[in-house]
Each structure stands twice: as structure tokens, then as C-alpha cells.
Amino acid sequence: MAFNIQQIQFLQRLVADKPGRRRAGDAARYLSEHHYLGTIVGREVFYRAEHWSLAQQLLSTSDLPVAALGKGNQRPTRADVAAFGGLSEKALSARPHDDSVAIQCLGGCSLDGQEMRSPPGAYLVVRQEQGLRIGCDRILLVENFETFRRLNEYSWLDLQALRVLVVYRGDQRLPISQAAALINKRREPIWAMVDFDPAGLVIANALPTQRLEQVMLPQLDWLRANAVTHHGKYLYSQQTPQASQVLGKTTHRQISMLWELLQKLQSGITQEAMRWAR
């Protein structure tokens, strides 16, 4: 017999909670009408002890997990699900990259005492719990993926001979939430490498204020000379209405100064274009 995901989860909840009644939703009605699981009365389905036992039997017979997999709020891995022959390893499981953070280790970072280094142009993908154990002096958050990968080509970037854990902010594949959680759970000072535009400053401003040591940008003279372009003006005009409310209240001195400069220029520049700064 085959059950869909909603029906499997409903059966698991019957086994775990042993309720006397449930709302007669699609899963409850199907299981009652096709497997004699519960008695439908109006808009509810009523259950007795034999129904709870039947729910467990239906799951076991179908080689399905009797209890919900995963720990706490974490969804199970595909390997966890694959231990049961009654459903696809992709069902109920987290996507493989759901707990992943893309990083670079520069200047001699270490994981559990073992030195880690990233070759130029390469990066590592670690689980968040591994990222929390990496030893470093600074955390560098990088907004955009191309810049993150080609960080070695940004000759103006001064890492001050420190051990720097570079963290990519994330995207649809590598969750932003995982990178943010990694940064928020650590205690090192943070450097933010973002676009010089309102949205980039909002990203920097969202970092823990007391730990944000600096926003990493080329020299201000270079920004003044290169930021005013047609595209830069478009970025500024599109982002300012939403970003101005946040940036107008910032308590970070450097972000406040950069926001003032942006308003004077009324134009921004992406960090990809900063690759050519010297």
C-alpha cells in the first residue's frame, strides 16, 4: 500500500499523540474510508486505542518510519530516509545543501587543530556545525558569489596578516540563513565586503553592530571617481526608497559615513566592478 507524505505524517502523529479526535481533513478522511482508521462524525474523526495501534501497523507494514525523523527542528538527511524502503530518499528529507555554508580559509585557519587553507579561486562547503569549530581571527562576509570565488584578484583587499574565515552570504542553493547563523553564533570581529549601494549597506548594517569592525571597500577617492555611472544611478534610485529607512537609523559610524557619501553621489557600484580597483 502506498501513502503520500501528508498521510504518512498524519499516521506518525496518531502514533505519537494518540488523540481522541482530529479534524476531518483530506488525510483523516482517506485513512478512515480506505483503512478503517477512525470513525467520521460530521467534521471530525474519532479515534480509540485500536486505531492508534492500527496506525503504527500501517506504517510498519509499509516499511515507513513510525516516528518522525530528524532531531528538533532539523529535517532528516536523505540517508536517514533511505533506511526505510517504503519511500524515496528525497521524501521528508532536507535538501543536501540545506545546512551548508560556503567558506574560504585564509591565513592559516584551523579546524579541530588541523590547518585549513583555500587555494586561490577555490572554496570549501562545510556544515554549519563544522564552521563553528574553525579557528580564526576575523570573519569576512562577502555578498556576491563571483567576488567570493575570485577574492584573490582583489588586490586592494588587506587581510592584515590575520587568519580570516571568509563566509559567502548565500543564495537559493546555499541558504542565507545558514551563513547568518554561523556568523551570529561566533564571537570574532566581522568585516563586511558588500556592494557600495544602499542594499549592500543594509546587508552590512544587519550584522551584529558591536562586532562589525569595518566595511571593506576600495579607497573613497576611487569610489568617488568610479561610482557615478548609468547603472550606478539606477541601483541607487531603485534601492533607496526601501533602504533609506534602515540606513537613516544606523548606529554604525562607518555605515553612516558611507550612506552620506552615497546620498551625495546618488549612485553606487557593485563589488564585481571593484575588482579593478588598485
Side-chain angles (χ1 to χ4, degrees):
M1 63 191 75
F3 298 109
N4 63 32
I5 299 303
Q6 290 72 29
Q7 292 159 2
I8 293 170
Q9 292 175 326
F10 189 88
L11 287 168
Q12 290 174 337
R13 289 194 295 270
L14 283 183
V15 174
D17 300 338
K18 297 179 172 54
R21 65 177 69 184
R22 280 286 188 264
R23 184 180 63 84
D26 292 341
R29 284 189 175 276
Y30 175 86
L31 292 166
S32 177
E33 293 169 355
H34 292 82
H35 297 280
Y36 309 103
L37 191 67
T39 303
I40 300 175
V41 179
R43 296 183 178 181
E44 293 184 308
V45 182
F46 289 80
Y47 300 99
R48 299 187 301 274
E50 57 265 32
H51 295 132
W52 307 328
S53 298
L54 177 58
Q56 181 172 344
Q57 182 181 347
L58 289 172
L59 290 167
S60 299
T61 303
S62 302
D63 198 6
L64 295 168
V66 172
L69 301 175
K71 298 178 180 179
N73 295 325
Q74 292 184 345
R75 296 176 64 187
T77 66
R78 291 187 175 180
D80 294 331
V81 178
F84 298 88
L87 70 169
S88 164
E89 78 284 356
K90 298 177 182 178
L92 300 172
S93 62
R95 296 177 302 172
H97 276 293
D98 274 0
D99 66 344
S100 298
V101 183
I103 65 166
Q104 292 187 47
C105 295
L106 306 179
C109 298
S110 61
L111 174 59
D112 298 336
Q114 183 176 354
E115 186 174 354
M116 300 179 67
R117 290 185 180 273
S118 304
Y123 64 97
L124 306 170
V125 176
V126 298
R127 299 191 302 275
Q128 184 196 135
E129 58 90 10
Q130 290 177 306
L132 291 172
R133 304 201 310 269
I134 295 175
C136 66
D137 302 312
R138 296 291 187 279
I139 295 174
L140 171 62
L141 175 73
V142 180
E143 178 181 354
N144 298 305
F145 189 63
E146 179 182 304
T147 299
F148 169 74
R149 290 185 63 189
R150 306 181 75 135
L151 199 63
N152 60 297
E153 299 178 23
Y154 286 69
S155 60
W156 54 267
L157 186 63
D158 182 10
L159 301 183
Q160 304 174 25
L162 296 172
R163 299 177 304 157
V164 179
L165 173 61
V166 186
V167 178
Y168 170 50
R169 178 173 178 260
D171 50 31
Q172 292 181 342
R173 187 179 186 189
L174 293 159
I176 292 175
S177 60
Q178 292 294 318
L182 172 61
I183 291 172
N184 290 334
K185 290 177 182 178
R186 298 191 61 118
R187 294 292 178 264
E188 295 83 6
I190 304 167
W191 297 340
M193 188 174 178
V194 295
D195 293 333
F196 179 59
D197 60 20
L201 294 186
V202 168
I203 290 172
N205 192 66
L207 294 166
T209 303
Q210 299 301 320
R211 293 170 55 210
L212 181 57
E213 196 168 66
Q214 59 180 319
V215 180
M216 307 293 276
L217 292 169
Q219 293 182 358
L220 296 183
D221 287 344
W222 187 92
L223 291 175
R224 293 188 186 97
N226 291 274
V228 182
T229 63
H230 290 297
H231 183 59
K233 292 177 180 179
Y234 172 80
L235 289 175
Y236 179 83
S237 65
Q238 291 296 305
Q239 297 173 7
T240 294
Q242 186 173 4
S244 59
Q245 296 183 4
V246 174
L247 297 176
K249 299 176 182 177
T250 183
T251 59
H252 194 278
R253 288 183 58 188
Q254 187 185 10
I255 293 177
S256 179
M257 179 271 292
L258 292 171
W259 173 228
E260 289 181 10
L261 177 58
L262 268 176
Q263 292 177 94
K264 290 179 182 178
L265 298 174
Q266 295 193 10
S267 185
I269 188 168
T270 64
Q271 60 182 190
E272 288 86 353
M274 298 175 197
R275 185 171 143 210
W276 311 114
R278 293 292 181 267

